[in-house]
Amino acid sequence: MAALNKVLDVAGVSKRFGANEVLSDVSLQVDKGETVCVLGPSGSGKSTLLRCINWLERPDAGQIYLNGQRVGVSGAGIAMSDRDLSKIRTRVGMVFQHFALWPHLTVLQNLMEAPVQVQRRPKAEVRDEALALLEKVGLVEKRDAFPSRLSGGQKQRVGIARALAMRPDLLLFDEPTSALDPELVGEVLVVMRELAHEGMTMVIVTHEMGFAREAATRVLFLDRGRNVESGPPEQFFAKPETERARQFLQRYAGDTANGKH
Amino acid sequence: MIHDFGIVWTERALLLSGLANTTILSVLAAIASLLLGFALTPALMSKHLAVSGTARVFVDGMRCVPFLLFAYIVYYGLPSLGLRWDNWTSGLFALIVYNTAYMAETLRGAWVAQPREPIEAGVAFGFSDLKLFRRIILPPLLLSAGPVIGNQTIQIIKDSAFLTIIALPELTHAASSIQSRHYVPFAAFITAVFLYWGLCLVVEAGVNSVGRLAEARR
Ligand SMILES: Nc1ncnc2c1ncn2[C@@H]1O[C@H](COP(=O)(O)OP(=O)(O)O)[C@@H](O)[C@H]1O
Ligand SMILES: [Mg+2]
């Protein structure tokens, strides 16, 4: 049944900050194993959309379902308790533009913190898994380093491993390579590509057009808070339907070459 | 002169008990004002103007009152409002309330200077309330505020000397008793100065070890 495969369902979400309508009636469904890339100019509401998914922002209208469970609102339309919200959030991993690692913890501790403290999983098991994840992102030798001692690319690989350590059903990426020096972008995209191949379910906000073209199962183009266009990447990049998307792609044409590391 | 220090030596028990009292006063006041400062910091940053305004008036008010005057008010003034405390209670109360204002302001500064993203990551990873504060917000805050908290602790040690005027038997009071008993002002006060200095060195050693922890993470 298709419905069982649906990890994320964003249904008609709107959000405004004061008079500024940042999201207007945005819908998005993501099936298990999909990599959806969200594209759009700066200020178009991409971050806000991601932040609504794990309820860092409360949408003004619309619903969000994670594996069929309503996010942020419990049965009778009451705001969800912190406990339930926290449970949902641990099933959604988030990767931040500026890494947002916890500066007082070592790399390994960053990975173990939420699984041990929030999910209350046994420490030994979490530690083994965290080390395996560090192996996977190529940073096992940095496990006892503090984040401040790492390069941007290394920090972001730790950021991805930290999100994976919670065994999430869904990973959200908010411009994971935008803060990186160009020569460090590749090492992060390699990890993300691998996750896509392994069938991790991901929603990725990015300006890396090359990556989106290759790795996305679907792209969603946001402009001024509206879902202007969405579809398979081959179609979007070759024959965008709207003038807005065409202009946007022209502006980022240079990045298409860049992204193919 | 050597002879004068000899006299001070014979009164060492008095000096040491003064030193012990100064240490107890300062440690209690530093811990209590730090904790109360933590409680007051969110009020200073509250979105409700009534709350933040009240906290602000208290903090700015305290910081403009000389400590000596404040201690006078607590010990001699409050009894006329029906609050009559012994000198220990009054002294400790004055030190704690006065320094809470400084601690709150220090912590507020360190708090707003913290990057927002790691805290938001904490929320996104399921931390909330007390656990968010304890595991994610507090540790980097203490590391960055450590040196200023240390300075404030040294300030508390020095302010506690004023409590001699309400006859609290702390170090300055002990030195003063020795000098009036034996007429050896220079020897008695210099000895006290060195003992204060020793206390400050201990605090600074603590600050330096926090600084080393912070440096490794910077
Ligand atoms: N917390 C907030 N308060 C007020 N305005 C906000 C807030 N967050 C975002 N915005 C505004 O919403 C719009 C969309 O922001 P954002 O979602 O960050 O866009 P993007 O990630 O696509 O660049 C911008 O105009 C931004 O200024
Ligand atoms: Mg953004």
Side-chain angles (χ1 to χ4, degrees), chain A residues 17 47-48 50-52 54-57 89 92-103 162 166 174, chain B residues 111 114-128 132 136-137:
Chain A
F17 292 110
S47 297
T48 306
L50 287 193
R51 293 162 53 77
C52 282
N54 60 3
W55 220 249
L56 290 177
E57 299 286 357
R89 283 177 175 150
V92 182
M94 199 168 202
V95 177
F96 297 80
Q97 181 173 356
H98 298 285
F99 328 118
L101 299 176
W102 297 308
R162 176 178 68 168
M166 291 202 304
D174 194 357
Chain B
W111 197 320
Q114 293 291 313
R116 239 190 54 255
E117 271 199 325
I119 299 174
E120 186 155 289
V123 176
F125 279 67
F127 288 88
S128 62
L132 179 71
I136 305 292
I137 301 178

Side-chain angles (χ1 to χ4, degrees), chain A residues 134-190:
Chain A
L134 285 178
E135 187 88 57
K136 180 182 175 127
V137 299
L139 286 173
V140 83
E141 78 283 4
K142 294 284 184 191
R143 65 185 167 195
D144 295 321
F146 287 103
S148 59
R149 294 288 183 271
L150 305 179
S151 72
Q154 292 172 331
K155 281 181 194 167
Q156 197 56 298
R157 285 185 280 153
V158 173
I160 295 172
R162 176 178 68 168
L164 289 169
M166 291 202 304
R167 298 179 175 162
D169 299 327
L170 172 68
L171 272 189
L172 307 175
F173 292 75
D174 194 357
E175 301 199 28
T177 58
S178 293
L180 298 179
D181 293 337
E183 72 270 20
L184 300 179
V185 168
E187 64 190 66
V188 173
L189 292 183
V190 164

Side-chain angles (χ1 to χ4, degrees), chain B residues 83-175:
Chain B
L83 280 176
R84 199 173 300 277
W85 290 330
D86 63 30
N87 50 1
W88 268 95
T89 314
S90 300
L92 203 50
F93 176 85
L95 269 184
I96 290 172
V97 171
Y98 190 76
N99 286 286
T100 292
Y102 283 90
M103 291 292 192
E105 184 61 13
T106 295
L107 291 169
R108 191 198 60 83
W111 197 320
V112 288
Q114 293 291 313
R116 239 190 54 255
E117 271 199 325
I119 299 174
E120 186 155 289
V123 176
F125 279 67
F127 288 88
S128 62
D129 302 330
L130 199 57
K131 197 175 269 179
L132 179 71
F133 183 73
R134 211 163 43 80
R135 306 280 320 177
I136 305 292
I137 301 178
L138 187 58
L141 190 62
L142 284 183
L143 286 175
S144 76
V148 202
I149 292 171
N151 278 342
Q152 196 55 41
T153 304
I154 289 174
Q155 197 60 49
I156 290 175
I157 293 172
K158 295 194 292 180
D159 278 351
S160 74
F162 283 118
L163 297 176
T164 190
I165 55 110
I166 61 172
L168 221 161
E170 43 67 61
L171 182 51
T172 301
H173 195 263

Side-chain angles (χ1 to χ4, degrees), chain A:
Chain A
M1 231 167 73
L4 282 181
N5 270 332
K6 197 186 286 175
V7 173
L8 176 69
D9 185 357
V10 175
V13 161
S14 299
K15 173 75 186 174
R16 53 170 65 241
F17 292 110
N20 184 7
E21 174 132 60
V22 175
L23 293 175
S24 321
D25 194 23
V26 174
S27 294
L28 165 69
Q29 278 98 41
V30 182
D31 286 343
K32 196 166 165 51
E34 267 200 292
T35 299
V36 175
C37 283
V38 179
L39 313 177
S42 165
S44 57
K46 306 179 299 294
S47 297
T48 306
L49 174 62
L50 287 193
R51 293 162 53 77
C52 282
I53 291 172
N54 60 3
W55 220 249
L56 290 177
E57 299 286 357
R58 273 126 234 251
D60 300 322
Q63 298 93 43
I64 289 155
Y65 298 90
L66 187 72
N67 284 326
Q69 188 188 359
R70 178 90 185 262
V71 176
V73 180
S74 64
I78 315 162
M80 207 170 228
S81 69
D82 276 354
R83 250 181 92 93
D84 290 344
L85 201 51
S86 151
K87 221 172 262 165
I88 286 196
R89 283 177 175 150
T90 60
R91 284 158 46 199
V92 182
M94 199 168 202
V95 177
F96 297 80
Q97 181 173 356
H98 298 285
F99 328 118
L101 299 176
W102 297 308
H104 57 293
L105 301 177
T106 64
V107 165
L108 183 60
Q109 288 168 338
N110 261 276
L111 266 65
M112 294 176 61
E113 182 70 2
V116 170
Q117 297 295 330
V118 182
Q119 294 179 317
R120 302 215 158 279
R121 281 158 50 195
K123 214 167 185 169
E125 169 204 301
V126 168
R127 190 186 151 84
D128 289 346
E129 239 176 83
L131 286 171
L133 284 169
L134 285 178
E135 187 88 57
K136 180 182 175 127
V137 299
L139 286 173
V140 83
E141 78 283 4
K142 294 284 184 191
R143 65 185 167 195
D144 295 321
F146 287 103
S148 59
R149 294 288 183 271
L150 305 179
S151 72
Q154 292 172 331
K155 281 181 194 167
Q156 197 56 298
R157 285 185 280 153
V158 173
I160 295 172
R162 176 178 68 168
L164 289 169
M166 291 202 304
R167 298 179 175 162
D169 299 327
L170 172 68
L171 272 189
L172 307 175
F173 292 75
D174 194 357
E175 301 199 28
T177 58
S178 293
L180 298 179
D181 293 337
E183 72 270 20
L184 300 179
V185 168
E187 64 190 66
V188 173
L189 292 183
V190 164
V191 173
M192 292 166 62
R193 237 178 240 125
E194 195 180 323
L195 290 174
H197 284 142
E198 287 170 5
M200 185 73 213
T201 314
M202 303 189 280
V203 177
I204 301 173
V205 172
T206 184
H207 290 298
E208 293 292 330
M209 297 303 149
F211 173 81
R213 190 198 283 259
E214 285 167 34
T217 51
R218 210 143 41 88
V219 298
L220 180 145
F221 177 61
L222 270 190
D223 188 52
R224 297 181 200 160
R226 285 174 197 284
N227 177 357
V228 173
E229 208 174 318
S230 68
E234 311 82 58
Q235 183 192 315
F236 177 80
F237 285 104
K239 290 198 296 290
E241 287 165 9
T242 57
E243 185 53 33
R244 289 234 142 249
R246 254 192 299 280
Q247 284 173 358
F248 173 79
L249 283 176
Q250 235 154 43
R251 193 144 27 94
Y252 281 97
D255 288 14
T256 313
N258 259 337
K260 292 194 173 178
H261 295 273

